[in-house]
């Protein structure tokens, strides 16, 4: 659904994308953001450290100029980058992802994982490069991603299916086997993080990493990919 275009409701929708303790910082960020052409669309709910947040699927605000951004604190700048990682323009999403990928804040994690389930290959590759700690056992980054996935199994399962669907629709000619696709490596790193965190095997909703190029995917197919 699309949120009402009442400005107070739009502000509330963006504040709801972050833990309540950050509400004041989010309001400071909203004060420097240009007014949106359209209301944010189709929020998806996830749990972050025991609290439900509702993150917009797409945002339609233009980017603020650098002069307006400069007075923001470090936390507020990170919030701004998180919000613009949901922008309708993929190039804008990618620019702001570069600023948040390596963050040590748990509330940044869902913004990164959501981008892993979208269609822009360059963004998937950027996430892989921007999360060096994800492959390091016991690292803070790996723990944050493992905890988030453990708390949001349905969201991660949907992300897995979306990665496979986009590979099958758009990248299968270039990467004949899902196991050779960069999104597969990223999902395996996420899965290793949650296995380390929970101490248990995690359900798989993708072909195995070393799937043969000719392997069929009847359970994924080429049907429409639903946002969220």
């Amino acid at each position: 659904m699309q949120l009402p275009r009442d400005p107070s409701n739009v502000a509330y929708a963006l504040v709801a994308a972050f833990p309540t303790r950050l509400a004041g910082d989010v309001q400071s960020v909203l004060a420097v953001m240009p007014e949106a052409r359209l209301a944010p669309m189709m929020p998806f709910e996830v749990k972050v450290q025991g609290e439900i947040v509702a993150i917009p699927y797409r945002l339609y605000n233009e980017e603020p100029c650098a002069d307006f951004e400069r007075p923001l604190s470090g936390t507020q700048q990170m919030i701004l980058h998180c919000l613009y990682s949901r922008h309708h323009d993929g190039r804008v999403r990618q620019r702001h992802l570069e600023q948040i990928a390596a963050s040590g804040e748990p509330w940044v994690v869902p913004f990164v994982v959501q981008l892993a389930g979208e269609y822009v290959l360059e963004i998937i590759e950027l996430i892989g490069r921007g999360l060096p700690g994800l492959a390091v056992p016991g690292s803070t980054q790996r723990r944050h991603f493992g905890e988030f996935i453990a708390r949001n199994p349905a969201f991660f399962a949907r992300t897995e299916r979306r990665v496979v669907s986009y590979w099958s629709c758009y990248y299968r000619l270039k990467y004949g086997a899902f196991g050779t696709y960069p999104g597969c490596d990223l999902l395996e790193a996420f899965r290793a993080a949650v296995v380390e965190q929970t101490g248990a095997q995690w359900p798989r909703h993708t072909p195995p990493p070393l799937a043969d190029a000719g392997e069929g995917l009847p359970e994924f197919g080429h049907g429409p990919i639903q946002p969220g």
Side-chain angles (χ1 to χ4, degrees), residues 3-24:
L3 295 168
R5 296 191 181 186
D6 183 291
S8 63
N9 285 333
V10 170
Y12 175 79
L14 298 185
V15 169
F18 299 91
T20 53
R21 64 183 175 81
L22 297 175

Side-chain angles (χ1 to χ4, degrees), residues 46 50 55 71 81 92 97 100 168 208 210 223:
V46 290
I55 298 173
H81 292 311
V92 175
L97 169 65
I100 67 173
S168 187
L210 300 179

Side-chain angles (χ1 to χ4, degrees), residues 35-41 58-62 86-88:
E35 188 173 344
R37 299 185 293 105
L38 299 169
M41 293 188 68
R58 285 290 179 259
L59 193 74
Y60 295 92
N61 304 66
E62 295 300 322
R86 306 308 318 132
H87 198 267
H88 67 94

Side-chain angles (χ1 to χ4, degrees), residues 15-215:
V15 169
F18 299 91
T20 53
R21 64 183 175 81
L22 297 175
D25 289 310
V26 180
Q27 292 285 4
S28 296
V29 172
L30 298 183
V32 307
M33 291 172 58
E35 188 173 344
R37 299 185 293 105
L38 299 169
M41 293 188 68
M42 295 183 291
F44 56 93
E45 291 188 347
V46 290
K47 185 177 291 186
V48 176
Q49 294 188 310
E51 186 173 352
I52 298 294
V53 299
I55 298 173
Y57 182 71
R58 285 290 179 259
L59 193 74
Y60 295 92
N61 304 66
E62 295 300 322
E63 295 173 281
C65 69
D67 288 342
F68 289 149
E69 286 186 44
R70 203 165 288 121
L72 297 177
S73 69
T75 295
Q76 291 164 0
Q77 290 182 15
M78 193 64 62
I79 289 169
L80 183 141
H81 292 311
C82 284
L83 288 174
Y84 280 95
S85 76
R86 306 308 318 132
H87 198 267
H88 67 94
D89 186 324
R91 290 167 294 185
V92 175
R93 294 199 298 276
Q94 184 170 346
R95 280 201 303 273
H96 290 276
L97 169 65
E98 291 174 350
Q99 304 302 317
I100 67 173
S103 169
E105 295 289 354
W107 45 267
V108 172
V109 172
F111 292 89
V112 177
V113 177
Q114 172 65 19
L115 283 167
E118 298 187 10
Y119 64 90
V120 182
L121 178 59
E122 291 79 6
I123 286 180
I124 292 175
E125 293 172 332
L126 175 60
I127 295 172
R129 295 193 302 270
L131 297 176
L134 193 60
V136 180
S139 70
T140 299
Q141 192 171 72
R142 188 167 183 159
R143 176 170 54 82
H144 285 332
F145 278 85
E147 287 177 350
F148 173 75
I149 293 168
R151 290 190 173 105
N152 297 276
F155 175 76
F156 184 61
R158 184 166 66 248
T159 300
E160 289 181 283
R161 294 186 179 103
R162 286 166 61 83
V163 171
V164 175
S165 293
Y166 283 125
W167 162 72
S168 187
C169 286
Y170 301 124
Y171 300 111
R172 199 166 186 169
L173 287 179
K174 182 176 181 179
Y175 301 97
F178 182 70
T180 65
Y181 178 56
C184 176
D185 293 336
L186 185 55
L187 291 178
E188 289 305 304
F190 287 154
R191 188 174 289 106
V194 70
V195 167
E196 180 177 285
Q197 187 63 34
T198 62
Q201 291 302 307
W202 201 252
R204 177 184 300 280
H205 301 92
T206 69
L210 300 179
D212 294 332
E215 182 176 316

